[in-house]
Amino acid sequence: MASKNQTLGEFIIENQSSFKYTSGELSRLINSIRLAAKVVNHEVNKAGLVDIIGAAGDTNIQGEDQQKLDVYANEKFIQTLTNRNIVCGIASEEEDDFITINSQDENHQNKYIVLIDPLDGSSNIDVNVSVGTIFSIYRRITPVGTPVQLKDFLQKGNQQVAAGYIVYGTSTMLVYTTGDGVNGFTLNPAIGSYYLSHPNMQFPKDGTIYSVNEGNYIHFPQGIKNYIKYCQEEEGNRPYTSRYIGSLVSDFHRNMIKGGIYMYPKSSKNSNGKLRLLYECNPMAFLAEQANGKASDGFTRILDIEPTELHQRAPFICGSKNMVNKAEEFMLAAK
Ligand code: AHM
Ligand code: MG
């Protein structure tokens, strides 16, 4: 039984048997993400000291080159997942191609692949605004013991076995699902452990927050323009509140707790929007559905989209079910 003073480590062990493929491998995988996240968190927290300890591109006191935080986070996650030998492949928003692990070793039996956006919203770092890490886990479809192939990574989102994010905010939280609801853990930095602080997270069915970069309004499809006007009309619980951090993880996290909708639609400038289907939309869509919310590209369920390339983009509308349904109605009406 989940209790609020439970650590993430205890929670993983206790819930391992409720996962449909009980090999312990997935638990070990989530454990390594938790570990890498702690290291990245430590670095992100120091970002404000950049004038004192040196900016990216400088050399620090040990003679090491200072890295940009997104490059650092990318390396940390890849290193941790590779060194612990628990995955057979990794794809990252920061890498052009996927990484094959242990392709030389015929004995390696690893079944899982990870897709990761190591530091999402990184333009917010310099101004001390929350950023996040997003991860998505699948079972490979090619035979165990052979090198992974592109098709292992191009699975539909509905095949995910786990997904989650870390939000480096006023506190650091790890929120994840293995297909059995969504649980949130808060890092106690004094002890270095994550504690279950938000068991069984749920999107309220309705909400009063809309999150969209309205600066792009002129470029949006008519359906989105109409929906934004609807959000701003005076009627019932409207006008809604506008809140846009520009960090997907933080906007999503707030909307899941308070009730709201996040939109990154296509525009006349970007025909598929900005967000990446595999690293951003799919994991957030899986979390949303597991938390009783909804995610759509305006017409189609995100998790049913057939990926064709690693860095593919998709329009993304995600949040409280009734709000996403309403936005879809507007999209359909203006089609
Ligand atoms: P990134 O992967 O380059 O950080 O871009 C993703 C981020 C999201 O976190 C955020 O919601 C969005 O880009 C903001 O984009 P914009 O500045 O165009 O509104
Ligand atoms: Mg990103």
Side-chain angles (χ1 to χ4, degrees):
M1 185 59 198
S3 70
K4 275 211 166 185
N5 55 9
Q6 205 171 25
T7 65
L8 174 56
E10 289 164 348
F11 181 89
I12 290 174
I13 293 166
E14 195 170 293
N15 288 276
Q16 188 166 301
S17 57
S18 66
F19 183 64
K20 62 180 169 175
Y21 319 99
T22 49
S23 69
E25 204 178 319
L26 182 71
S27 301
R28 287 197 294 129
L29 178 42
I30 291 172
N31 245 319
S32 349
I33 291 176
R34 156 183 87 149
L35 188 72
K38 265 197 254 181
V39 179
V40 170
N41 176 62
H42 182 70
E43 219 48 39
V44 168
N45 280 176
K46 288 195 307 197
L49 293 169
V50 102
D51 284 345
I52 301 161
I53 57 180
D58 292 355
T59 306
N60 69 13
I61 207 152
Q62 284 88 26
E64 297 156 336
D65 286 338
Q66 297 282 308
Q67 287 178 312
K68 287 184 74 170
L69 270 177
D70 39 9
V71 178
Y72 177 85
N74 186 46
E75 279 179 12
K76 272 295 158 241
F77 279 103
I78 291 176
Q79 247 173 34
T80 312
L81 293 169
T82 310
N83 292 349
R84 303 183 129 214
N85 192 20
I86 38 179
V87 291
C88 49
I90 305 171
S92 162
E93 201 191 276
E94 296 283 333
E95 305 279 333
D96 291 340
D97 209 350
F98 63 84
I99 299 167
T100 307
I101 296 166
N102 266 352
S103 60
Q104 309 305 322
D105 176 4
E106 284 174 17
N107 297 322
H108 89 99
Q109 296 297 308
N110 296 340
K111 294 184 286 290
Y112 293 103
I113 58 150
V114 176
L115 294 108
I116 192 154
D117 183 354
L119 210 61
D120 184 66
S122 51
S123 63
N124 277 325
I125 287 182
D126 293 344
V127 289
N128 206 354
V129 172
S130 307
V131 289
T133 296
I134 308 172
F135 61 91
S136 166
I137 301 173
Y138 294 79
R139 280 167 78 90
R140 64 183 304 173
I141 50 175
T142 54
V144 168
T146 62
V148 279
Q149 296 175 33
L150 182 60
K151 61 182 172 194
D152 291 312
F153 296 91
L154 298 185
Q155 298 184 56
K156 286 185 185 170
N158 59 27
Q159 296 302 304
Q160 286 172 102
V161 293
Y165 60 78
I166 296 110
V167 54
Y168 310 98
T170 42
S171 56
T172 296
M173 278 189 73
L174 190 152
V175 175
Y176 80 100
T177 181
T178 52
D180 185 23
V182 176
N183 291 287
F185 299 81
T186 303
L187 179 67
N188 178 342
I191 300 169
S193 295
Y194 292 91
Y195 288 89
L196 179 61
S197 51
H198 295 65
N200 192 22
M201 298 180 83
Q202 299 269 319
F203 269 95
K205 221 170 172 175
D206 253 310
T208 54
I209 297 172
Y210 73 104
S211 317
V212 63
N213 185 343
E214 264 180 276
N216 294 328
Y217 183 88
I218 190 104
H219 301 294
F220 286 157
Q222 195 55 45
I224 294 292
K225 286 183 177 165
N226 295 345
Y227 178 68
I228 291 175
K229 285 293 156 224
Y230 167 87
C231 294
Q232 297 170 341
E233 263 165 31
E234 178 109 57
E235 202 184 325
N237 61 356
R238 287 174 286 136
Y240 296 154
T241 296
S242 163
R243 289 282 181 275
Y244 188 70
I245 298 170
S247 267
L248 171 62
V249 166
S250 315
D251 280 309
F252 178 99
H253 187 75
R254 183 207 49 241
N255 289 349
M256 177 159 64
I257 291 173
K258 293 193 163 181
I261 185 169
Y262 172 95
M263 297 179 282
Y264 210 110
K266 70 174 187 177
S267 70
S268 48
K269 285 198 300 191
N270 301 318
S271 59
N272 280 315
K274 174 186 184 190
L275 301 182
R276 313 282 178 156
L277 177 62
L278 301 186
Y279 310 106
E280 294 167 328
C281 307
N282 273 339
M284 296 318 245
F286 187 27
L287 286 159
E289 290 195 5
Q290 284 295 317
N292 204 26
K294 185 169 174 173
S296 153
D297 70 355
F299 304 100
T300 309
R301 181 185 178 217
I302 289 289
L303 297 181
D304 288 340
I305 297 174
E306 181 100 54
T308 53
E309 51 185 293
L310 225 38
H311 294 286
Q312 173 174 348
R313 297 172 196 271
F316 192 56
I317 302 178
C318 176
S320 293
K321 221 180 239 173
N322 288 348
M323 298 180 90
V324 176
N325 285 340
K326 195 66 174 177
E328 280 185 329
E329 266 176 43
F330 277 95
M331 289 299 284
L332 207 57
K335 207 176 175 182

